[in-house]
Amino acid sequence: DGGITQSPKYLFRKEGQNVTLSCEQNLNHDAMYWYRQDPGQGLRLIYYSQIVNDFQKGDIAEGYSVSREKKESFPLTVTSAQKNPTAFYLCATVRGTNYGYTFGSGTRLTVV
Amino acid sequence: KNEVEQSPQNLTAQEGEFITINCSYSVGISALHWLQQHPGGGIVSLFMLSSGKKKHGRLIATINIQEKHSSLHITASHPRDSAVYICAVIQGAQKLVFGQGTRLTINP
């Protein structure tokens, strides 16, 4: 079955460390997105990519970085510059205009 | 003020009740999503609609573009419907703007 795989499901990081969250899809979708969810708030866009080797900042990109070297993969690095990284991170893809989104199962990151 | 507002924020009902969750938005959109998020965190897309009404099983979604309002209805609610329901609107470049979510609890 086609879908999105996010790993790991739970991640613990020490303050000052960078950490990379994985998002892999086998749906052959062009566009991929990273969202952050905090308790009581709506999801917010971190970065998105509409094509390989190209990506754009979302609303809360500071402290994060991404790459899109392959269509299937859109990893997110949470850097030590991100002041409050503890959150739930969701990856999503969309096939194109007028199509629905597909979401991964998410990664819960906790800074200890 | 958020661009996408949902009401109520929390809703508790008894099994079998008819449920309505509302979503109002203040921006121009190309379409609107209703999403379901279970306690584990994963999100499932229930509907994407840009006009009128869609039905899937016990779920019905409606949208009024002129009034910038959408509703999600659940008929004959069941405890397994307990989840967070999220409204999200699609703006340019396929950008989603999310509501805060409505936490629904259905008691047996």
Side-chain angles (χ1 to χ4, degrees):
Chain A
D1 285 336
I4 299 175
T5 302
Q6 284 190 247
S7 60
K9 192 170 176 67
Y10 298 96
L11 188 56
F12 294 87
R13 189 197 89 176
K14 291 184 179 178
E15 276 194 45
Q17 288 181 339
N18 292 354
V19 63
T20 298
L21 282 59
S22 169
C23 177
E24 303 280 331
Q25 56 112 348
N26 60 4
L27 299 164
N28 201 33
H29 290 176
D30 286 316
M32 299 187 72
Y33 302 79
W34 274 106
Y35 292 94
R36 170 183 171 136
Q37 187 177 39
D38 294 283
Q41 295 191 38
L43 282 81
R44 293 179 290 168
L45 180 64
I46 305 172
Y47 268 99
Y48 65 101
S49 168
Q50 293 185 293
I51 198 168
V52 174
N53 291 323
D54 186 51
F55 47 83
Q56 307 295 329
K57 291 183 179 180
D59 300 318
I60 55 165
E62 184 175 350
Y64 299 98
S65 66
V66 293
S67 63
R68 187 84 186 276
E69 297 175 2
K70 300 185 299 181
K71 190 174 188 177
E72 302 79 16
S73 179
F74 191 40
L76 174 74
T77 297
V78 184
T79 75
S80 55
Q82 168 50 235
K83 303 235 182 311
N84 187 18
T86 295
F88 186 65
Y89 293 87
L90 274 161
C91 178
T93 73
V94 66
R95 182 174 161 188
T97 306
N98 299 324
Y99 288 93
Y101 282 70
T102 302
F103 289 86
S105 55
T107 293
R108 191 167 298 280
L109 172 64
T110 303
V111 174
V112 296
Chain B
K1 191 177 187 305
N2 292 334
E3 293 174 313
V4 181
E5 293 277 355
Q6 286 185 236
S7 62
Q9 289 191 12
N10 294 282
L11 178 56
T12 300
Q14 290 300 118
E15 183 173 356
E17 286 189 36
F18 182 81
I19 302 299
T20 296
I21 299 171
N22 295 300
C23 175
S24 296
Y25 53 92
S26 57
V27 294
I29 69 169
S30 57
L32 180 146
H33 268 274
W34 279 103
L35 309 168
Q36 181 189 56
Q37 185 173 32
H38 278 281
I43 289 180
V44 173
S45 177
L46 298 173
F47 295 102
M48 186 180 79
L49 64 166
S50 53
S51 65
K53 176 179 172 178
K54 286 190 176 180
K55 184 175 188 292
H56 182 68
R58 296 180 293 106
L59 301 177
I60 303 166
T62 64
I63 188 168
N64 185 317
I65 295 293
Q66 286 73 30
E67 294 187 4
K68 295 189 173 179
H69 181 269
S70 176
S71 293
L72 177 68
H73 306 284
I74 305 175
T75 62
S77 60
H78 190 276
R80 64 174 175 266
D81 297 325
S82 298
V84 175
Y85 292 85
I86 301 170
C87 169
V89 299
I90 301 173
Q91 295 188 291
Q94 291 289 108
K95 178 185 171 184
L96 281 176
V97 180
F98 295 82
Q100 320 94 298
T102 294
R103 184 173 300 277
L104 174 65
T105 303
I106 304 295
N107 293 319

